Amino acid sequence: EVQLVESGGGLVQPGGSLRLSCAASGLTFTAYWMAWVRQAPGMGLEWVANIKQDGSVIHYVDSVKGRFTISRDNAKNSLYLQMHSLRAEDTAIYYCARLYCSGGTCYGAFDVWGQGTMVTVSS
Amino acid sequence: DIQMTQSPSTLSASVGDRVAITCRASKTINILLAWYQQKPGKAPKLLIYKTSTLQSGVPSRFSGTGSGTEFTLTISSLQPDDFGTYYCQRYDTYPLIFGGGTTVEIK
């Protein structure tokens, strides 16, 4: 069974830092782009960042550029999101997600999701 | 950035009803559009990708159509398990954008 399990969320003060992790199992991790998607309380979904299989290509939403860093460790089947200079508006559930791939081509739709980890930025 | 607007924001329908949710793009996009279902407290679930391709395991009562700026998710015969919030998402270019969501309630 394909499984993504996030960890690392919690309460952090504005301006603080946090590192999220996502442990993947049941899939060939190196075959997939991976992503972080977030959802503020009571709100809709917001894509945060994507990373290519080998880490060579990365995309971010503008609101986190320069503050967040997505990375992966293929030897550990793990995805990370390092977050700095956190703001109240970063408060959200952060989901780890796998990008759908077919026939060797990966698309920007997300076919496997973790259960999410909550990040609360508040003083 | 191209914005995605969903309508209606909420809808209430009876079991067996045909239900349609619309997603409009602020500019023409290609067919790289997906639909998700999210239930309270759960992660989203991919239903449809590439506008009309049903994800494996998704019931055939779900279908997707559209082109240009207007896309539709249709549930042909609403079932009790279909409650939740539905999101469209374009993935033809970055940034990847989700629609604001449509909450479906069962009468």
Side-chain angles (χ1 to χ4, degrees):
Chain A
E1 179 193 4
V2 177
Q3 206 169 11
L4 301 174
V5 179
E6 302 93 336
S7 60
L11 175 64
V12 60
Q13 292 189 338
S17 299
L18 211 56
R19 188 194 195 211
L20 306 183
S21 299
C22 170
S25 60
L27 74 162
T28 304
F29 189 67
T30 53
Y32 293 94
W33 282 70
M34 297 296 296
W36 291 97
V37 178
R38 67 185 179 182
Q39 186 169 34
M43 302 295 285
L45 300 167
E46 181 183 37
W47 165 76
V48 174
N50 277 5
I51 185 168
K52 194 178 177 182
Q53 292 94 328
D54 61 0
S56 63
V57 180
I58 287 172
H59 299 281
Y60 296 101
V61 68
D62 282 351
S63 59
V64 308
K65 282 180 182 175
R67 301 188 301 121
F68 290 12
T69 301
I70 187 172
S71 63
R72 62 193 295 164
D73 185 336
N74 287 340
K76 295 182 178 179
N77 285 355
S78 293
L79 178 72
Y80 305 101
L81 186 67
Q82 179 69 56
M83 305 184 292
H84 295 296
S85 303
L86 282 161
R87 307 166 179 165
E89 54 265 35
D90 296 318
T91 295
I93 297 171
Y94 283 74
Y95 293 102
C96 169
R98 184 182 84 172
L99 273 70
Y100 173 75
C101 295
S102 175
T105 300
C106 290
Y107 303 91
F110 309 105
D111 67 341
V112 179
W113 298 67
Q115 85 288 350
T117 188
M118 183 70 204
V119 172
T120 302
V121 184
S122 174
S123 55
Chain B
D1 296 342
I2 297 177
Q3 300 305 311
M4 307 299 291
T5 303
Q6 286 184 235
S7 61
S9 55
T10 62
L11 73 87
S12 181
S14 300
V15 171
D17 284 353
R18 183 179 183 87
V19 166
I21 299 168
T22 298
C23 180
R24 289 188 175 87
S26 56
K27 294 181 182 179
T28 296
I29 64 173
N30 65 24
I31 63 168
L32 296 182
L33 182 116
W35 290 95
Y36 301 84
Q37 176 195 61
Q38 186 179 32
K39 298 197 173 181
K42 300 293 186 182
K45 172 187 174 183
L46 177 65
L47 297 176
I48 288 171
Y49 59 94
K50 217 187 298 182
T51 295
S52 60
T53 304
L54 212 59
Q55 173 69 336
S56 176
V58 174
S60 59
R61 63 181 180 272
F62 292 92
S63 63
T65 58
S67 64
T69 61
E70 188 159 322
F71 299 83
T72 301
L73 172 71
T74 301
I75 308 173
S76 61
S77 177
L78 193 68
Q79 298 300 303
D81 190 50
D82 297 338
F83 74 93
T85 302
Y86 292 80
Y87 295 93
C88 62
Q89 178 225 338
R90 54 172 285 260
Y91 57 96
D92 56 324
T93 189
Y94 289 97
L96 307 180
I97 301 288
F98 289 90
T102 296
T103 299
V104 174
E105 300 169 350
I106 309 295
K107 280 184 186 175

